Amino acid sequence: MEVYVNEKLLPIELEDEKTAFDVIKGITDFFAKEKVPQFVTKILINGNEYSFADDDSLKAIEISSINKIEFEFKDIITVSKLSVERILSYLDLLKQHTLENKWNDFFSNIEDSLNWIESGMNQITEIFSLEQEISSVKLLFTSELSELKKKILTLSDKNFPLPLDTVQNIIASCEKLKVLISKVLQLLDLSFIGDAHEGIILRITEIMPLYDDLIPVLPEVSVLLQKACDKDAMEIIQKLTTIIDGSIPIFLAAKNLNANIFDNFEINGASFDSFFDSLTEHLRELVSTIENKDSVMIGDLVEYEFLPNIEEMKELLRELKNRLLNEID
């Protein structure tokens, strides 16, 4: 019997295994104990696909009848990213059906799907202990999903076709959720890359020019809002949120690499964790003021809170890069 893992022949010696289930359980248990745990995503026995959850079928297959077992394993990061991508695809599908504005079976089963999205996101944040680092993202996600449920779960075939404002509200909720979920995907993409100092250093090098472009124009937001140039002001704010979204995973990646790397970091007398708690609170305030269309408060937050925050983050990244370079040397 030949055993392949991710298309590579695995040298194994059978002991007391008698069925396919015995072999599969032994191999999956072994890979689950790796430094980065691996999880089975596909099993082929003599070319036929089986589910690991189907114990009875696997226990009925005796080893003597097996010529070849093929496994596909993926690490938990990849599995989680695939789950996030499925959620994004589902939201695109929800947008599509909403725009068609016709009742069909898709809407009949939507409660289970929305609960699945909520459960999936909760599991991912729990697995990677991300609640503290992305608490604002999770808070906004839960709030927005709750709003979407209110708009969707009361619908029936009698409501269709939906009024234009209802369609627009559902589409807007989907877009907001996609932005929040994409932030988690970005976090997964960078935050668990093992000991890749070079990868983090490269990301810092890539993002620094964005700081150089953003810092000079942040004070212009207040003036632009006063002149009713809202579109230009919001473009700058979008650059602000983009740079924050791009930087937080860098800091988290470094923390995963070396849990003590920020222990003696101080930003205007505040600890690293306190600084980011404050930044999270400012982000919440910014989201609230934008929703309330409070242009005066938006301008004040950007100029008096976020401008110094961004300048501090730039210096923090520069210092982090130096420390990582020293660790390599």
Side-chain angles (χ1 to χ4, degrees):
M1 178 179 64
E2 293 182 333
V3 176
Y4 286 80
V5 172
N6 294 342
E7 300 184 350
K8 293 183 179 180
L9 181 62
L10 186 71
I12 65 168
E13 294 184 6
L14 298 177
E15 295 180 355
D16 299 325
E17 294 84 355
K18 297 178 181 179
T19 68
F21 179 81
D22 297 331
V23 176
I24 291 168
K25 187 176 187 306
I27 290 176
T28 54
D29 286 350
F30 173 80
F31 279 94
K33 296 174 183 176
E34 292 284 278
K35 183 177 181 181
V36 178
Q38 306 287 312
F39 296 86
V40 64
T41 53
K42 182 184 285 188
I43 300 170
L44 296 176
I45 300 176
N46 294 338
N48 298 314
E49 187 167 357
Y50 289 83
S51 169
F52 187 33
D54 189 359
D55 295 8
D56 292 337
S57 294
L58 295 174
K59 288 176 180 177
I61 303 174
E62 296 182 359
I63 286 181
S64 59
S65 67
I66 302 173
N67 297 318
K68 185 178 183 180
I69 300 183
E70 299 168 82
F71 294 88
E72 177 186 77
F73 279 91
K74 295 185 183 298
D75 60 63
I76 189 60
I77 302 165
T78 303
V79 172
S80 297
K81 288 172 67 176
L82 288 173
S83 296
V84 172
E85 288 166 0
R86 284 181 61 201
I87 293 172
L88 290 171
S89 297
Y90 180 83
L91 290 171
D92 281 334
L93 194 59
L94 173 55
K95 285 174 53 183
Q96 177 186 326
H97 283 285
T98 302
L99 287 169
E100 290 174 357
N101 209 353
K102 296 178 182 178
W103 176 263
N104 57 44
D105 289 342
F106 177 86
F107 291 103
S108 300
N109 303 315
I110 200 165
E111 183 171 7
D112 288 342
S113 298
L114 294 179
N115 288 337
W116 161 74
I117 287 175
E118 185 171 23
S119 175
M121 289 297 291
N122 286 337
Q123 286 176 7
I124 289 170
T125 55
E126 287 168 8
I127 288 170
F128 295 107
S129 301
L130 297 177
E131 290 89 346
Q132 182 176 352
E133 288 82 355
I134 60 166
S135 58
S136 61
V137 174
K138 188 175 180 180
L139 177 66
L140 291 171
F141 168 82
T142 302
S143 174
E144 192 59 46
L145 186 63
S146 176
E147 290 301 312
L148 179 60
K149 285 182 175 181
K150 292 177 184 177
K151 298 167 187 173
I152 290 286
L153 298 184
T154 57
L155 297 179
S156 69
D157 57 340
K158 297 177 181 179
N159 300 115
F160 284 78
L162 301 172
L164 179 59
D165 63 334
T166 301
V167 172
Q168 291 175 336
N169 286 336
I170 293 173
I171 297 298
S173 283
C174 289
E175 287 298 330
K176 289 178 182 177
L177 284 169
K178 286 184 65 179
V179 169
L180 295 168
I181 295 168
S182 294
K183 291 179 181 179
V184 176
L185 185 61
Q186 182 186 43
L187 195 62
L188 290 170
D189 185 44
L190 179 62
S191 297
F192 305 95
I193 54 178
D195 59 352
H197 287 70
E198 293 84 357
I200 302 174
I201 291 169
L202 177 61
R203 293 294 182 97
I204 295 175
T205 302
E206 291 172 344
I207 204 169
M208 289 302 276
L210 301 182
Y211 278 86
D212 295 333
D213 293 339
L214 178 65
I215 288 172
V217 299
L218 276 179
E220 297 177 12
V221 170
S222 292
V223 177
L224 290 170
L225 290 172
Q226 290 170 14
K227 293 180 178 180
C229 299
D230 294 5
K231 181 179 179 182
D232 294 334
M234 292 310 297
E235 285 180 357
I236 296 174
I237 291 174
Q238 181 60 52
K239 291 179 181 178
L240 168 65
T241 57
T242 297
I243 206 169
I244 292 173
D245 290 342
S247 298
I248 288 177
I250 294 175
F251 292 119
L252 185 54
K255 193 172 182 180
N256 286 340
L257 186 64
N258 179 354
N260 302 317
I261 198 164
F262 297 116
D263 282 357
N264 58 348
F265 269 55
E266 282 198 359
I267 309 164
N268 289 338
S271 69
F272 173 84
D273 289 336
S274 296
F275 171 75
F276 277 96
D277 285 344
S278 175
L279 181 64
T280 297
E281 184 57 36
H282 293 154
L283 283 169
R284 287 193 184 118
E285 291 177 21
L286 183 61
V287 170
S288 176
T289 54
I290 291 173
E291 289 177 347
N292 294 328
K293 299 181 180 179
D294 187 341
S295 58
V296 174
M297 182 62 74
I298 293 171
D300 287 348
L301 275 171
V302 171
E303 184 171 359
Y304 299 115
E305 301 294 349
F306 281 103
L307 178 56
N309 285 165
I310 291 299
E311 290 173 336
E312 290 158 356
M313 285 174 68
K314 178 184 175 182
E315 294 306 311
L316 196 57
L317 284 169
R318 182 179 285 118
E319 174 63 20
L320 176 60
K321 182 177 179 179
N322 290 336
R323 293 192 180 194
L324 291 171
L325 286 169
N326 289 335
E327 288 186 3
I328 293 175
D329 295 340

